[in-house]
Amino acid sequence: ANAPADNAPSDDTSPATPPAASPPAESAPAAPVLPGSPTALVKPFYEHLGLELDPAQRSNFIDPARTVLDKSDALRKSGQGECLDPNMALDNADYDKAAIDGSLKTIEAVRGDEAKVVVAFVVANNAHRLEWKLKKVGGDWKISDLLSVTGEWALSQYQCE
């Protein structure tokens, strides 16, 4: 007798479709990046090469990414070499500022206190896609992981020991 009625709304089983009137992303002007947004935290990594390895930026990261970066720092300081690639934000592509600036696209998806920023760009005719995972901590977005969709690696999977 407690079975749901046949006329119960079933809107949570079908995905919401955006209105057809919105233009495709390619032709729309880039939306301004809102200060304090996940995209605002990710964008500088494409303006300054190697920022993810800079200890001064560590406050923007939380575990599991932060632990890997901290262990990488310790390894470098001990003289045992590098654990992480110098341009992970670029999916280890060569740094070509003009190519990246000209092709960089970001898509932000926020769900509660978690967010994803997908970054896509083209260098030397190779398309790259990365996914930054973020969590809101004390009102601020922090990066918890960085994954390469193209290279099939994740920062959290690196064993820097």
Side-chain angles (χ1 to χ4, degrees):
N2 289 338
D6 288 338
N7 61 358
S10 62
D11 53 1
D12 57 1
T13 57
S14 61
T17 50
S22 63
E26 285 75 28
S27 65
V33 176
L34 297 172
S37 70
T39 303
L41 184 58
V42 167
K43 208 121 170 95
F45 292 93
Y46 294 91
E47 291 156 5
H48 308 284
L49 186 61
L51 209 55
E52 64 275 16
L53 301 179
D54 182 350
Q57 292 292 319
R58 205 54 43 84
S59 63
N60 288 323
F61 291 87
I62 56 169
D63 289 338
R66 185 174 181 135
T67 295
V68 174
L69 292 168
D70 286 346
K71 285 181 175 178
S72 171
D73 288 347
L75 205 61
R76 186 182 318 115
K77 284 180 190 141
S78 72
Q80 294 181 49
E82 294 292 331
C83 168
L84 303 174
D85 295 295
N87 50 357
M88 297 188 83
L90 301 183
D91 198 19
N92 308 318
D94 289 330
Y95 183 59
D96 181 338
K97 186 160 174 45
I100 292 163
D101 289 350
S103 64
L104 188 71
K105 291 193 173 30
T106 59
I107 302 167
E108 180 180 295
V110 177
R111 185 175 288 143
D113 60 357
E114 295 194 356
K116 270 194 308 201
V117 177
V118 176
V119 177
F121 57 90
V122 177
V123 173
N125 294 324
N126 293 313
H128 295 274
R129 281 175 69 104
L130 293 109
E131 187 177 293
W132 296 75
K133 292 191 169 183
L134 301 96
K135 280 193 167 66
K136 202 165 225 177
V137 179
D140 295 318
W141 288 107
K142 303 286 182 186
I143 299 161
S144 62
D145 206 357
L146 169 60
L147 298 87
S148 167
V149 180
T150 10
E152 297 183 355
W153 55 261
L155 178 58
S156 60
Q157 301 302 309
Y158 275 80
Q159 302 291 319
C160 295
E161 287 168 12

